[in-house]
Each structure stands twice: as structure tokens, then as C-alpha cells.
């Protein structure tokens, strides 16, 4: 049972988590938690500003103590960890810079604190529980700080968790490399952790508890009338995730896909609701369009080659540089001597620098990506055309668009300011029509 940042964001939601876990005690749950909402951002900001001497660790400490206070838990429960945060910030000021390794270490305190608080809240409610740091439980990764990849588990995680007293409340997001340095699985990585622990204990089900009633036909923050989807295939959710829907981390699906463990997204706000089941195959007739995903901010990059080299050589170099940067792109459009693709704004500067040697580089900021996820054949038969016609009729300009040859997603780039209208129109067209 994995609970995300919002689900453990305040005392009230943690009490709700306690109730939800209590109801499933007979299934012997392993609980995986994120940091309280906003804490990872705050810790990373702290680590980035600490070298300049501007860091203030009091606000983070107070946020945690306020939750403890409201839950009626001992106020000094987290003091050892909060002192480490203060010492680390001081250390970074002395060193004058925060390495990726230091950023991971700093970020790790969010989950380490929240696991202790949630375990204490369970105990307080009479449910035996113990906080477990993922690195102590044996979750190991490579040393790619900030985006570490898990190493194979030899059964040690299961053995460790079996020895824990009561319900193990494990930290999501974090692990350790083979030297014992703390690593993170990348932002929003707790879903992935849940899947890894689910595999490690050979779970009968992996439940991802969020503040939404499962996966919906669009982000409910943009489309309040988005409809709940009761079942989806792994492939559909992977498409949704890779085209920007934050609702489930794409890597969270891989272990479940490989082992066939049931995966379900459920809502802490509506615990009675079944949420969304994510399965290998979903039998029965399916609507051609399943959901609309978006990435709210993107930069469109166009690289034009000097035509002194064959197109394949040019493209190989462009994608080689992207691989170096570990930068994912999409959609992509290729012309004879130019390539255009959308990237996350965080990569824009690095991409510009890397591409500078390959040709003329033009960056357009203020873009957004919209992806319509559906059945590949239906999209090809007319869904994609319908999307383009709908947007053209509304005067929304589509910049770069495409559907993968196998793909169940048709993705396009629009101006960020047109995003809310684009999504509302497409939702209306595909789900209300
Ligand atoms: P947590 O951190 O609690 O695990 P996130 O906040 O990362 O959860 O993800 C849940 C959020 O994802 C929801 O609050 C919702 O706004 C957003 N979201 C985006 N697309 C969708 C979608 N298609 N269905 C449901 N939620 C979505
Ligand atoms: N706390 C981490 C983050 O904010 C991991 C997660 O919430 O999944 O990215
Ligand atoms: Mg999250």
C-alpha cells in the first residue's frame, strides 16, 4: 500500500491513512510512503541555496513538528533526523556546492521523517508498526544520483521485512548504492518503490493510494468533469505517463507487468471506491480514446543541419547527444535537414549547448504537450484527424505532432497558454460527444 505526498500531507490525511491500513491488516500490508507534500521541493531548494549561506532549516523542522503536534505524537520524534538536515545544510555552506549525491542525501530526509511519523501514528492507534528505511531493507541501486536504477534483489528485502515488528512503513523514493550512499529513484519515484517492494515480497496486489479517485480521462485539475476509468492496460498507463500524466510513475508498472501482480490506483478521499485496476489485458469492447494526458510546460527545439552530412548521420548525432544528457523527447518531427522535438524545460539549456555544434538551434519556450491515448487503430482511422480538426476549428495552432508506428498515443505541441482550452475541447469531443 503506497501513500503519496498529498495522502500523508497533513495530520488529518495521515489519520485517514491509518484507517485505510487498519482495514486491510488481515492482508499483511507493507506500507510505502512519500514525504509530506511539498517537503521534497523544500529540501532540494534548501540544498541548492545552502552553499550561498541563505538556507533556513527551521521552516522544514517546524512543518514536521506541526504534524507531530496535531497528531499528538512526541515532538522530539524526528529530532535526530532534523538535526542531520541542519548539519548537512551547514556542511554544504562550508563546501560551497551541492553535488547530486548531496542533493539525494538531503531529499532522503523527507521520506525518512514521514515514514517515522506514519509508523508512530499507526502505533498510537493500536496498530503495531515500524518505520523502515529502504536502504536498510536492502533496496540497492546504481550510483546515478538523482535518477538511480535498482539492482537485482536476491531475496534480502523480503527477509528483512519479514523480521520487522508490525506493519513495515517503508520510505519510498530512496535507496542506497553498493557503497552505502543514499540515492533517489527520481522525482515522483515512490510509486516505483511501491512496485519494487511489491515484487520483493511477492505481493498479491500493489495499491497506489492518491488524492484522486483512480486514473481519470484527463487531469481533474484541468478538467473537473474528467471521468473515472475503472480498468486500464499497462500499455495505456505507460503511454499516459510518458505523455505527461503525473498520475502514475511509468516505471511503477514494469515490475507488475513482468510478474503479473495486480496493480490498483485508489483514492484516500474515497476509500470505498474501487479506483482503477491496471492489468495486462482488459477484456471486452473498449472506447477508442481512453484518456488525455498533458505536459504543461515544454520547450520546442529545432535543429537544422548544414546539409553537409547525410540525414542519418545528422539524426544519429542529435539523438546521441540526447542520450548523453538522458533527455527524453516527444513528439518528434523529422525533415530532410532538420529535426524538431519537445523537451522538458529543465533540459533546454543543456540541449541548446549540446546541439550547438550540430547546426542551427532554435528554442521556443512556452509550449505544452498534449497526448491522446487510445487504441492505435482507432487513432489512425480517424481519431487523430478529429483531434486536428477540432483544434483547427478553435483556432489552436498545432506545432509538432505525431503518432508512433505502434503507438496508442497521438501527441502534439500547442502554446502553453492554449493548453487548458485544448484539453477542455478535446475532452468534450472524445468523452462527451
Ligand atoms: P502522489 O504524489 O500523491 O502519489 P501525484 O500528486 O503525483 O500523487 O498524482 C496525483 C495527481 O495526478 C492528481 O492530484 C491529479 O491532479 C494528477 N493527474 C494528472 N492526470 C491525471 C489523470 N489522468 N487521472 C487522475 N489524476 C491525474
Ligand atoms: N517525495 C518524492 C517527490 O516529491 C517522491 C514521491 O513523492 O513520489 O518527488
Ligand atoms: Mg507525487
Amino acid at each position: 500500500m503506497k501513500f503519496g505526498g498529498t495522502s500523508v500531507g497533513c495530520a488529518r490525511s495521515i489519520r485517514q491513512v491509518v484507517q485505510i491500513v487498519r482495514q486491510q491488516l488481515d492482508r499483511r500490508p507493507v506500507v510505502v510512503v512519500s514525504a509530506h507534500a511539498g517537503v521534497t521541493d523544500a529540501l532540494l531548494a534548501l540544498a541548492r541555496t545552502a552553499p550561498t549561506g541563505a538556507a533556513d532549516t527551521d521552516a522544514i523542522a517546524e512543518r514536521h513538528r506541526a504534524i507531530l503536534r496535531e497528531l499528538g505524537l512526541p515532538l522530539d520524534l524526528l529530532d535526530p533526523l532534523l538535526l542531520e538536515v541542519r548539519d548537512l545544510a551547514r556542511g554544504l555552506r562550508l563546501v560551497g556546492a551541492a553535488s547530486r549525491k548531496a542533493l539525494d542525501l538531503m531529499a532522503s530526509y523527507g521520506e525518512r521523517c514521514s515514514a517515522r511519523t506514519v509508523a508512530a501514528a499507526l502505533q498510537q492507534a493500536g496498530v503495531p508498526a515500524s518505520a523502515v528505511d529502504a536502504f536498510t531493507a536492502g533496496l540497492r541501486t546504481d550510483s546515478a544520483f538523482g535518477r538511480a536504477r535498482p539492482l537485482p534483489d536476491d531475496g534480502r528485502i523480503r527477509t528483512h521485512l519479514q523480521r520487522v515488528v508490525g506493519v513495515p512503513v517503508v520510505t519510498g523514493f530512496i535507496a542506497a548504492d553498493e557503497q552505502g550512499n543514499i540515492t533517489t529513484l527520481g522525482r515522483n519515484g515512490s510509486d516505483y518503490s511501491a512496485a519494487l517492494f511489491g515484487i520483493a515480497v511477492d505481493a498479491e496486489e500493489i495499491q497506489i493510494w492518491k488524492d484522486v479517485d483512480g486514473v481519470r480521462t484527463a487531469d481533474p485539475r484541468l478538467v473537473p468533469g474528467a471521468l473515472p476509468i475503472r480498468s486500464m492496460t499497462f500499455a495505456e498507463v505507460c503511454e499516459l505517463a510518458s505523455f505527461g500524466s503525473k498520475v502514475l510513475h511509468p516505471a511503477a508498472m514494469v515490475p507488475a507487468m513482468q510478474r503479473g501482480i495486480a496493480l490498483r490506483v485508489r483514492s484516500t478521499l474515497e476509500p470505498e471506491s474501487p479506483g482503477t485496476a491496471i492489468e495486462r489485458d482488459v477484456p471486452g469492447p473498449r472506447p477508442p480514446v481512453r484518456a488525455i494526458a498533458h505536459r504543461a510546460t515544454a520547450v520546442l527545439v529545432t535543429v537544422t543541419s548544414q546539409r553537409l552530412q547525410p540525414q542519418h548521420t545528422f539524426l544519429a548525432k542529435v539523438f546521441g547527444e540526447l542520450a548523453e544528457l538522458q533527455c527524453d523527447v516527444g513528439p518528434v518531427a523529422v525533415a530532410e535537414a532538420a529535426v524538431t522535438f519537445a523537451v522538458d524545460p529543465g533540459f533546454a539549456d543543456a540541449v541548446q549547448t549540446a546541439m550547438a555544434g550540430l547546426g542551427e538551434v532554435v528554442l521556443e519556450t512556452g509550449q505544452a504537450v498534449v497526448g491522446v491515448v487510445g487504441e492505435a487503430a482507432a487513432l489512425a482511422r480517424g481519431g487523430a484527424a478529429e483531434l486536428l480538426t477540432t483544434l483547427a476549428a478553435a483556432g489552436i495552432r498545432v506545432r509538432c505532432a505525431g503518432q508512433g508506428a505502434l503507438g496508442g498515443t497521438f501527441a502534439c505541441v500547442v502554446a502553453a497558454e492554449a493548453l487548458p482550452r485544448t484539453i477542455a475541447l478535446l475532452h468534450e469531443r472524445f468523452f462527451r460527444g
Side-chain angles (χ1 to χ4, degrees), residues 2 4-6 210-212 214-216 218-221 245-247:
K2 179 264 175 175
T6 333
K210 305 241 169 199
D211 64 342
V212 274
V215 184
R216 291 183 170 249
D219 187 341
R221 279 176 297 197
S245 168
K246 246 189 53 164
V247 69

Side-chain angles (χ1 to χ4, degrees), residues 39-64:
V39 166
T40 308
D41 284 335
L43 286 167
L44 289 173
L46 180 69
R48 291 204 176 91
T49 51
T52 67
D56 167 22
T57 54
D58 293 349
I60 290 177
E62 184 41 36
R63 169 85 193 278
H64 286 92

Side-chain angles (χ1 to χ4, degrees), residues 116 123 135 141 175 181 203 219 258 347 397:
R116 281 160 180 78
Q123 286 164 11
F135 45 84
T141 63
N181 301 302
D219 187 341
Q258 286 166 353
F347 278 104
R397 185 161 166 235

Side-chain angles (χ1 to χ4, degrees), residues 125-200:
V127 178
S130 307
V132 179
D133 291 321
F135 45 84
T136 310
L139 183 61
R140 289 213 237 303
T141 63
D142 62 16
S143 304
F145 297 104
R147 216 180 180 182
R149 291 298 122 219
L151 299 175
D153 166 39
D154 55 7
R156 59 184 179 269
I157 297 180
R158 186 190 178 111
T159 310
H160 184 93
L161 292 180
Q162 271 168 345
R163 291 206 197 106
V164 166
V165 178
V167 177
V169 181
V170 192
T171 54
F173 181 50
I174 63 174
D177 69 6
E178 285 177 301
Q179 287 72 47
N181 301 302
I182 291 186
T183 55
T184 65
L185 300 173
R187 294 307 306 270
N188 296 309
S190 298
D191 292 347
Y192 191 14
S193 305
L196 294 169
F197 284 107
I199 287 247

Side-chain angles (χ1 to χ4, degrees), residues 215 239-250 292-295:
V215 184
E239 290 280 336
L240 199 62
S242 68
F243 276 91
S245 168
K246 246 189 53 164
V247 69
L248 196 60
H249 191 294
I292 299 169
H294 72 275
R295 257 181 260 142

